[in-house]
Amino acid sequence: MRRLPVYLLLDTSGSMTGEPIEAVKNGVQMMMHSLRQNPQAIETAFVSIITFDSEAKQIVPLTDLASFQMVDIKASGVTSLGAALALLADKLETEVTMTTLEQKGDWKPLIFVMTDGIPTDNWQQGYSKLKAVNKGLIVGCAAGQGADDAILRQITNSVVRLDSADSESISKFFQWVTASISTTSTKVEESGKEVTGLDQLPPPPSELVIVA
Amino acid sequence: METILKQLLDEFSVQQNKVVDNTLAKLMHNAKINALTKDIYSSKQQIIAIFQMYREKEEFKEAQLVIPNANAKKHYGYSFDLAQFSNIRIQKIKNLDKAGLTFDPETSSICGVPNIALTVDLHLVFINTLEENPTEDIKIIPFIVNADPKDLWLNRPSNQNDLYAKADSDKYAGAFLDKQIVIASQRGRSHAHEGSFRDDHFYMSALPEAWSVVAVADGAGSAKFSRQGSKIATEYLVKTFDNEVLLHELNDLCLAYYTPALAEAVPLSPKDDQPVSEATTNITDEPIEEVVKAEMTAEECSLKVKSSIINILYKSVRDVHAKLVEFAKQEDILLKDLNTTLIFALVKKFDFGYVILTFGVGDCPINVVIGDLEEVRLLNILDIGEFGGGTRFITMPEIFSHTDMPLRFAINRFDDFSKLILMTDGIYDAKFITENKLEDKGTWNTFLQDLGGQNEDGTKVDFVADEHIKDQLLTWLDFWSKGNHDDRTLAIIY
């Protein structure tokens, strides 16, 4: 069974306190609810959540949609994006299966990185570790005015921007992530082709501006 | 007692002095005071006990209690671990009946078979057993019952008014040489869900000179009109062999190859050495070039015959490619919109056995089973990508110039065989999973038993009493395999 690994890297730094963090929690819940209705996604997509504030933590390991249970998240601390990228690199190595003679491996992972700030650690170090192992598509999302999409653009060619980190915009972002996972799970199942860029994902809603 | 008295004096702001100290000393032995102090102590104990009781309830309410998600139509069992809350007893769980599950308060466990998918907040009604007159409290836990994946798939008919419309399934049974053939092709669930077309196709035909051919193609899911690509590839391939002169030549070459004593009598086709001008000039006409020497050893001669056979097959395959190029041009569509894999087996029974000529591009296998699984062989090489999803198509010009092109063809001879099987990856992914299992007798044994009815649904393909075999095979193709919902085509010569 070839899985479509989906990693959500979510910024849970102090600036996300209040409305944004609640919107993120809701967004993940709605996303899981919606994906569970999709027969292809429920069989193919596996989701993991990595949060980053003063440190990076994998709060949900790579889990199938049927077993997935959301863990409570709280906002505090700074923005250790580099640590999150490094942790992602570790998890890609241990959780994603490569194709061997014995088994067909997983599909290339789909990675969404959402941040509302500027990294406070050495993000380049985490990024170079990630670059060495990652074969999947990374989509960056700069949420709100405080986010620096210039750094995300150095990490990936696929970057979207949310002008505001309010609950409305964050909810739209998660709807788009949901549609992207649905589309990709259908696409890999039907054509065996993996997505390589933003142009192959569903068109984002007007709240999301493609910046790269 | 002294501590309690001192605390009391503090509480009543009685300043400490000599008189107070003397009073205290006297009261230390007062029976009445002694009894009252004991009462106070006991009251405090009672209050703290009540506090603890209520605190345990509040703690239970706040505790992160995760209960695993259930799946519709599958048995569910879960026991609450209340070790941390030894005095808490869950009396009942409201809303659980909505999921079709029951709760046993004696064992604190949920069980049953949920009938439908839903997301519900369970209300755990609980008490603290230490309470004299227990009051019920409620803890809320979200609970998810996942749908049965089979119920999530829709079956929408494809639009038969669309361009290059194709039936959602197809089947065939009939003679193949002195054997029988059954073929069935079923649209995959993923296509049925979207109401899109079946992209697989098959075609077979008896040919002149007692040859027969069967071709199977799997149109690429990513290509817009691959349903037409697979149709053209199979039908046109068969057509290229419907040529008496060509098959006669093939007869002679096969005889020469397998009965070398006659080799000298066989003229090697001079046509093979001449470039044929075609629309697809970028494609090389001669994949296998042998230097013709004045005098050939037996081995060289055999090699020459072999390359002549392969060149004949090669030309057919190249003609199929040219036909697809022409069709794309004529319809003003892109060649890659027709992307399709192709496998075929061209077979004839000679005095010295069955000669099976095969070709494959893509990831569909051709297998031959000898006797009662005494031997099973994969007759073609499969194109399989490193990270999955990397296949090759007959529509790709580059396959013709690639050095591995000759390896795509194979010439085999068998005294007899019990089954010759061609399948698309819709079958192979689900039943064989990896390439290296395609020559594994154990896996084949399971597969043949599966065809024989040893499966979840009890669907059987009867190769002996075979009057309904094509319907049986089509029904069998509907098997459930998690994650494998591609079109399925299976051709079996038996």
Side-chain angles (χ1 to χ4, degrees):
Chain A
M1 183 62 224
R2 313 175 76 177
R3 309 176 302 172
L4 171 67
V6 179
Y7 285 86
L8 300 182
L9 271 63
L10 305 173
D11 186 339
T12 49
S13 62
S15 55
M16 291 288 286
T17 307
E19 189 181 328
I21 197 81
E22 290 307 317
V24 166
K25 268 193 272 188
N26 274 330
V28 173
Q29 295 285 20
M30 292 310 294
M31 175 181 97
M32 298 313 292
H33 182 77
S34 165
L35 289 177
R36 282 195 182 101
Q37 317 299 316
N38 177 327
Q40 254 137 351
I42 204 168
E43 293 188 352
T44 315
F46 279 61
V47 178
S48 164
I49 296 183
I50 290 173
T51 57
F52 55 100
D53 39 64
S54 297
E55 55 177 352
K57 259 188 294 199
Q58 188 184 39
I59 60 163
V60 182
L62 198 63
T63 309
D64 64 290
L65 298 185
S67 321
F68 188 95
Q69 295 207 334
M70 187 53 185
V71 176
D72 196 27
I73 48 175
K74 291 190 168 63
S76 71
V78 293
T79 312
S80 307
L81 177 63
L85 298 177
L87 179 61
L88 173 64
D90 287 342
K91 296 301 168 186
L92 289 177
E93 279 195 303
T94 55
E95 292 181 331
V96 178
T97 317
M98 288 288 291
T99 293
T100 64
L101 274 180
E102 289 300 320
Q103 58 178 359
K104 281 194 178 176
D106 293 325
W107 300 106
K108 288 179 187 170
L110 205 49
I111 299 153
F112 294 90
V113 185
M114 180 186 187
T115 177
D116 76 332
I118 296 160
T120 50
D121 63 350
N122 184 348
W123 66 269
Q124 288 94 339
Q125 209 176 329
Y127 175 55
S128 58
K129 195 174 162 190
L130 176 63
K131 212 162 47 173
V133 297
N134 179 46
K135 298 200 172 191
L137 171 66
I138 302 177
V139 178
C141 173
Q145 297 303 326
D148 186 356
D149 59 39
I151 289 173
L152 285 177
R153 270 187 280 141
Q154 291 176 63
I155 294 171
T156 170
N157 291 326
S158 308
V159 180
V160 295
R161 163 173 276 290
L162 279 176
D163 279 335
S164 152
D166 60 9
S167 62
E168 173 81 13
S169 307
I170 289 175
S171 149
K172 290 281 185 209
F173 170 70
F174 276 98
Q175 282 173 29
W176 177 69
V177 170
T178 307
S180 300
I181 297 171
S182 284
T183 308
T184 309
S185 61
T186 304
K187 193 177 154 91
V188 293
E189 280 300 300
E190 285 184 4
S191 66
K193 285 260 173 72
E194 292 149 316
V195 298
T196 51
L198 267 185
D199 53 328
Q200 290 153 320
L201 295 178
S206 57
E207 285 82 356
L208 275 184
V209 185
I210 295 180
V211 292
Chain B
M1 192 164 101
E2 198 184 347
T3 333
I4 286 187
L5 276 171
K6 278 185 176 163
Q7 276 175 0
L8 196 64
L9 296 184
D10 265 357
E11 224 172 282
F12 284 82
S13 310
V14 179
Q15 297 288 326
Q16 211 174 348
N17 56 36
K18 199 159 182 274
V19 176
V20 172
D21 286 348
N22 289 342
T23 319
L24 273 177
K26 285 213 168 129
L27 288 180
M28 290 302 273
H29 304 287
N30 184 299
K32 178 86 176 163
I33 297 274
N34 194 307
L36 286 170
T37 323
K38 278 183 180 154
D39 284 352
I40 292 174
Y41 184 73
S42 141
S43 298
K44 278 188 171 175
Q45 287 291 326
Q46 282 178 43
I47 292 170
I48 201 76
I50 293 169
F51 171 82
Q52 297 288 18
M53 216 151 57
Y54 275 78
R55 189 169 81 165
E56 192 172 6
K57 284 168 79 173
E58 289 307 311
E59 275 178 347
F60 180 64
K61 237 195 234 181
E62 286 301 307
Q64 256 241 352
L65 206 60
V66 176
I67 72 172
N69 302 340
N71 296 302
K73 299 178 192 169
K74 288 229 172 98
H75 178 80
Y76 183 81
Y78 177 74
S79 292
F80 288 94
D81 176 15
L82 296 176
Q84 265 186 286
F85 306 98
S86 50
N87 302 310
I88 296 291
R89 179 188 154 96
I90 304 168
Q91 303 274 72
K92 57 184 171 193
I93 299 179
K94 287 185 186 165
N95 289 340
L96 197 57
D97 53 335
K98 289 185 183 162
L101 297 170
T102 54
F103 176 70
D104 177 9
E106 295 309 314
T107 55
S108 296
S109 54
I110 298 175
C111 85
V113 179
N115 34 24
I116 48 157
L118 83 165
T119 303
V120 70
D121 278 337
L122 296 181
H123 289 220
L124 275 57
V125 180
F126 67 94
I127 55 161
N128 188 315
T129 51
L130 296 179
E131 276 182 83
E132 264 177 66
N133 297 306
T135 48
E136 290 183 339
D137 216 328
I138 285 176
K139 176 178 175 65
I140 297 176
I141 308 183
F143 182 60
I144 293 162
V145 180
N146 294 299
D148 178 350
K150 291 183 202 180
D151 294 341
L152 293 173
W153 293 101
L154 306 174
N155 190 359
R156 296 191 177 105
S158 57
N159 182 354
Q160 291 300 310
N161 296 320
D162 263 8
L163 202 57
Y164 319 128
K166 176 187 283 197
D168 295 336
S169 68
D170 195 5
K171 59 195 171 183
Y172 177 84
F176 191 95
L177 307 176
D178 59 344
K179 293 179 181 285
Q180 298 296 312
I181 186 166
V182 59
I183 317 175
S185 182
Q186 177 75 59
R187 184 172 64 150
R189 284 188 185 86
S190 51
H191 286 161
H193 190 68
E194 307 284 324
S196 55
F197 288 99
R198 174 170 60 101
D199 292 331
D200 278 7
H201 211 86
F202 68 83
Y203 201 67
M204 70 80 55
S205 180
L207 299 169
E209 298 283 323
W211 284 89
S212 275
V213 63
V214 55
V216 168
D218 172 10
S222 57
K224 250 192 292 184
F225 303 122
S226 65
R227 57 181 181 277
Q228 186 67 2
S230 61
K231 183 173 191 284
I232 294 171
T234 49
E235 291 181 357
Y236 197 75
L237 182 275
V238 169
K239 201 175 159 198
T240 61
F241 288 118
D242 192 5
N243 177 335
E244 223 170 312
V245 178
L246 180 104
L247 291 173
H248 189 78
E249 188 186 336
L250 214 45
N251 278 348
D252 292 345
L253 287 166
C254 288
L255 276 169
Y257 189 62
Y258 286 109
T259 50
L262 301 169
E264 281 162 67
V266 178
L268 295 174
S269 169
K271 281 185 286 178
D272 290 340
D273 302 324
Q274 290 165 7
V276 183
S277 174
E278 292 282 343
T280 52
T281 43
N282 55 329
I283 292 168
T284 141
D285 282 308
E286 285 151 282
I288 298 177
E289 213 167 306
E290 302 295 335
V291 181
V292 188
K293 291 176 188 166
E295 281 180 32
M296 289 190 288
T297 64
E299 199 178 313
E300 282 170 333
C301 190
S302 163
L303 207 61
K304 180 69 190 169
V305 175
K306 184 179 174 184
S307 86
S308 297
I309 294 172
I310 289 177
N311 277 351
I312 288 178
L313 304 180
Y314 176 84
K315 275 185 186 162
S316 283
V317 170
R318 191 207 51 201
D319 287 351
V320 169
H321 176 88
K323 180 74 185 171
L324 287 160
V325 169
E326 181 197 318
F327 182 82
K329 206 174 273 177
Q330 170 197 319
E331 298 281 302
D332 199 19
I333 58 176
L334 297 171
L335 182 58
K336 70 180 173 87
D337 289 340
L338 296 171
N339 274 358
T340 181
T341 69
L342 177 65
I343 48 173
F344 73 79
L346 178 64
V347 191
K348 174 166 172 158
K349 187 181 186 184
F350 286 86
D351 296 340
F352 52 86
Y354 292 89
V355 169
I356 304 179
L357 307 175
T358 54
F359 166 80
V361 58
D363 52 0
C364 302
I366 307 171
N367 275 89
V368 68
V369 177
I370 310 294
D372 188 15
L373 267 178
E374 273 116 54
E375 198 188 341
V376 57
R377 274 183 47 197
L378 174 66
L379 301 183
N380 62 325
I381 54 158
L382 304 188
D383 296 285
I384 291 163
E386 172 249 350
F387 217 107
T391 191
R392 292 277 168 275
F393 304 112
I394 188 71
T395 30
M396 293 175 162
E398 59 268 31
I399 65 162
F400 293 88
S401 50
H402 199 278
T403 48
D404 67 7
M405 186 61 179
L407 303 174
R408 296 185 179 281
F409 299 92
I411 307 172
N412 281 287
R413 188 202 68 85
F414 299 94
D415 287 339
D416 195 6
F417 59 88
S418 53
K419 288 191 173 64
L420 174 62
I421 298 179
L422 292 84
M423 63 178 95
T424 58
D425 61 348
I427 309 259
Y428 143 69
D429 281 342
K431 301 292 184 186
F432 292 86
I433 301 150
T434 58
E435 188 186 2
N436 66 342
K437 288 276 184 275
L438 283 165
E439 289 196 329
D440 179 71
K441 285 183 191 174
T443 313
W444 270 96
N445 187 38
T446 310
F447 179 70
L448 294 174
Q449 285 184 347
D450 189 338
L451 278 170
Q454 286 186 31
N455 53 57
E456 247 178 64
D457 309 314
T459 52
K460 180 180 172 173
V461 182
D462 194 336
F463 291 97
V464 182
D466 59 359
E467 61 271 29
H468 303 300
I469 193 162
K470 58 182 178 183
D471 298 303
Q472 289 170 349
L473 186 61
L474 190 61
T475 307
W476 184 88
L477 287 187
D478 226 12
F479 64 80
W480 178 261
S481 167
K482 191 180 169 192
N484 293 302
H485 307 297
D486 201 357
D487 295 345
R488 294 168 179 168
T489 303
L490 181 56
I492 305 172
I493 294 153
Y494 61 102

